Amino acid sequence: MAVVFDGVAYGLQLGLLAVGLTMIYGLGGVLNLAHGQFAVLAAIAIAVLSDRLPTPAALVAGLAIAALAALATDATIMRAVYRLDGEARVLLSLLLTIGLAFVIDGLLIYNYPFTQLKLSVPGPAVDILGVPMRRGSLAASALALSALALLIVFLRYTRRGRAVRSVIQDEEGAQLCGIDPARVRTAVFALSGALAGLAAVAEGLTSSVSATDGTELTILALIVTVVGGLGSVAGALLAGLLLGLVYTMSQVYIGTYVTLVILLLTAMVTILIRPAGLLGRGV
Amino acid sequence: MSEAPLPVDADDAAADTTRRARDSVWWAYFPVMVTAVVLAGVPLVIGDSRFFMGLAVLGLAYAGYGVGFNIIFGNTNQLFLCLGALAGVGAYGSSILGSEMDLPMLVTIPLSVAGAALLGAVFSWVSVRRRLDVIFVGIITLTFSLMFINLLLGQRDLTGGETGLVILYDAGVVGRRGTASFYVFLAVLVAFLAAHRWIQRSHIGWAFRALRDDELAAELAGIDVARYKVVGGIVGSAMVGLIGALYAHYEGFISPTTFELGNVDVPVLVMVAFGGIGSLLAPVIGSAVFTVVDEVLRPFSQLRVAVYGVILLTLFLGFRRGLIPAATDLLRRVTRRR
């Protein structure tokens, strides 16, 4: 039981990490390989600012910085990407965001080599259905869950959210209904930056985030995104939960180093069985 | 669909002869020969310095990976992000076979290259079967790379884990540091380039071009797309595996870091994309440029990565399709105006 809970907690974090990426792909058909770097950027910003500001203010500022970085990316290098379409677009976005990831990684590792984001929630473990859970882990899960729930409510029930979904489904059709896809894209890009930052906060609540973690986070987000189905928010959540459970279970029952192999194997098999992803639209 | 009107040449006869000249074997292999001659001169310029020869060999190895990647991705549109793993199969395969079974290098290298080729065939076959998009092939192979590295780390008894593996037995010319090994790698690279050109000129190249432009149309025209994609996967993977195996014997030491995504796949993708994906010489030009850039940036220590990133951004914003296509376009425009 404890394993399942841990798996769910980790899975929610993975889902949170992946939603931003999946939405950008769904909207613009671009892959952002600097997603994990945005997360790390937020984490380092929060860690640095919390020395001077009260923690809540630092959190908000950190998320805002990640969102601004994403916004700046959309407004500058992504412009060239949007002018292309199809596979050329994906490829250029991939190459450019690799470059961006290098820039962010390089600057952060150079300036803050030893900074870590570690948010501890003091207090004893809480009993949930007889399973003692660490407070940090609970807070991270609550954070991920509420962020994802808010996102889904936003996408389903608000006018703006519907506009986003309409662009994901059919860009031309949305345009005919008076929606400006470029503006929606920009907004979602900024949102994805903030979501990446939130994922970093969740990670900081359970373990720690440092400047060198960007690439690993990007790859995890990418795998979860693809397993869930590119462009599907609920899919990202589901895939996150699946992979999180697989990860913690194999960690407990099988052993440490095989765990990652099993996680990756699961991802590979899922992609091969359902190339469109768990909840992706048909190919 | 709008089609540009075909240019009508005033002087048909002249155009005919130039076309015939271009079709000739000599002209087709001309770039390969020039590359061979120019690169063969490198040791004369930089001398027999151990350090610079090491860099040059590394550059050749990357160019070799690049040719393999160019055949797989540039010709058959399969984004293999497991180059490091394929090279690792070649490297670890040949050295483990050599140390555990006491086989000579001339047996272990072909065996491990066959292993890499088989792996490439499986990836191609699976992705054709499952009709995976470019990005999905990329993710599947990327996942495999991560798995491979983790297996290397885990199978300590065989691979030495993260401490790596020292290749104990004598590797002959390949292992002799300096000019000798440089020429071995150069010979392999030139052979790769010639093979690539040969493929481009054969019926395989014809099928590659058709399926790269439009897979469905190629299929309808009677091209066995699946078969040719698998061929591309096999040839390219074998090349990457061979370079990996040679590099292991040259260096005398391999570790999982050597074949990490960030140390093989990312640089190779960047180099080939910089040169122009699909162009014959893209890997050579890309590798030469980035080997020099990497050296120039060394004093920047950690900031190097950031500077690298800025260079990448500028390059790809400037030459979207790569340097070679941009240059040939320019050349064509200049010559036409005359």
Side-chain angles (χ1 to χ4, degrees), chain B residues 1-337:
Chain B
M1 280 233 300
S2 67
E3 265 175 66
L6 289 167
V8 182
D9 273 300
D11 196 348
D12 263 1
D16 210 38
T17 41
T18 45
R19 197 180 318 132
R20 208 168 295 154
R22 246 177 238 166
D23 283 346
S24 76
V25 177
W26 193 84
W27 182 260
Y29 289 92
F30 184 65
V32 180
M33 287 185 261
V34 171
T35 312
V37 171
V38 169
L39 288 180
V42 168
L44 305 177
V45 179
I46 62 178
D48 203 8
S49 134
R50 218 159 203 253
F51 176 72
F52 282 114
M53 281 326 280
L55 276 184
V57 169
L58 195 61
L60 287 177
Y62 274 119
Y65 291 143
V67 178
F69 180 69
N70 212 4
I71 289 178
I72 305 173
F73 183 51
N75 285 316
T76 65
N77 229 1
Q78 308 175 83
L79 182 57
F80 270 31
L81 292 179
C82 57
L83 303 178
L86 291 170
V89 168
Y92 275 94
S94 60
S95 25
I96 291 173
L97 278 176
S99 58
E100 300 280 310
M101 303 173 85
D102 222 15
L103 294 168
M105 204 169 82
L106 282 178
V107 179
T108 60
I109 292 186
L111 277 178
S112 61
V113 169
L118 185 69
L119 208 55
V122 170
F123 284 132
S124 291
W125 189 74
V126 167
S127 43
V128 173
R129 274 279 106 142
R130 298 296 304 157
R131 306 201 162 275
L132 298 179
D133 274 353
V134 182
I135 291 302
F136 287 87
V137 179
I139 307 274
I140 288 273
T141 48
L142 179 128
T143 325
F144 177 78
S145 302
L146 299 176
M147 251 165 65
F148 180 76
I149 298 291
N150 274 295
L151 282 176
L152 287 184
L153 289 172
Q155 299 292 336
R156 254 160 219 293
D157 310 338
L158 229 46
T159 62
E162 51 195 308
T163 30
L165 198 64
V166 179
I167 292 132
L168 289 171
Y169 63 99
D170 184 33
V173 193
V174 186
R176 213 163 294 146
R177 296 298 181 103
T179 327
S181 48
F182 177 87
Y183 283 114
V184 171
F185 275 87
L186 178 60
V188 172
L189 175 65
V190 170
F192 281 7
L193 288 172
H196 188 187
R197 185 41 36 116
W198 180 81
I199 289 174
Q200 282 179 330
R201 287 167 53 81
S202 70
H203 69 106
I204 306 174
W206 178 77
F208 279 177
R209 276 192 293 283
L211 74 87
R212 194 171 81 142
D213 288 343
D214 188 339
E215 258 175 54
L216 188 63
E219 190 82 63
L220 291 173
I223 292 169
D224 190 347
V225 171
R227 196 180 123 209
Y228 283 106
K229 281 198 150 186
V230 174
V231 167
I234 289 176
V235 175
S237 305
M239 286 177 169
V240 174
L242 177 58
I243 296 282
L246 285 178
Y247 191 76
H249 290 94
Y250 156 77
E251 190 65 39
F253 169 76
I254 44 177
S255 73
T257 334
T258 323
F259 302 108
E260 249 174 22
L261 213 60
N263 284 335
V264 182
D265 295 85
V266 174
V268 170
L269 175 65
V270 166
M271 285 170 191
V272 176
F274 170 69
I277 290 164
S279 307
L280 179 71
L281 294 183
V284 180
I285 293 182
S287 154
V289 168
F290 279 95
T291 305
V292 173
V293 167
D294 205 45
E295 219 18 62
V296 172
L297 292 184
R298 199 167 287 277
F300 287 92
S301 72
Q302 282 297 339
L303 259 189
R304 187 162 66 125
V305 184
V307 180
Y308 223 130
V310 173
I311 294 177
L312 283 189
L313 286 176
T314 5
L315 286 181
F316 288 124
L317 285 174
F319 309 99
R320 206 158 303 149
R321 284 185 307 135
L323 198 63
I324 295 177
T328 38
D329 267 9
L330 191 71
L331 202 70
R332 202 167 294 151
R333 223 174 290 158
V334 170
T335 47
R336 192 168 291 169
R337 208 165 280 163

Side-chain angles (χ1 to χ4, degrees), chain A residues 13 15 31 38 62 75 78 110 138 143 166 186-187 203 207 218 239 257:
Chain A
Q13 282 180 46
L31 272 180
F38 286 152
M78 284 298 154
Y110 181 74
L138 280 181
L143 178 71
S166 75
T186 308
E203 180 89 13
S207 54
T218 301
Y257 101 85

Side-chain angles (χ1 to χ4, degrees), chain A residues 85-152:
Chain A
D85 45 33
E87 275 169 7
R89 187 190 263 196
V90 180
L91 190 67
L92 186 66
S93 72
L94 202 128
L95 289 167
L96 286 175
T97 49
I98 285 181
L100 180 67
F102 279 179
V103 174
I104 299 178
D105 262 350
L107 289 176
L108 286 180
I109 296 172
Y110 181 74
N111 288 314
Y112 305 101
F114 307 114
T115 311
Q116 272 195 341
L117 177 67
K118 215 173 180 151
L119 300 159
S120 48
V121 185
V126 183
D127 256 23
I128 295 196
L129 297 176
V131 180
M133 294 287 286
R134 285 190 304 138
R135 281 179 188 239
S137 171
L138 280 181
S141 304
L143 178 71
L145 205 57
S146 45
L148 288 168
L150 268 178
L151 188 67
I152 288 174

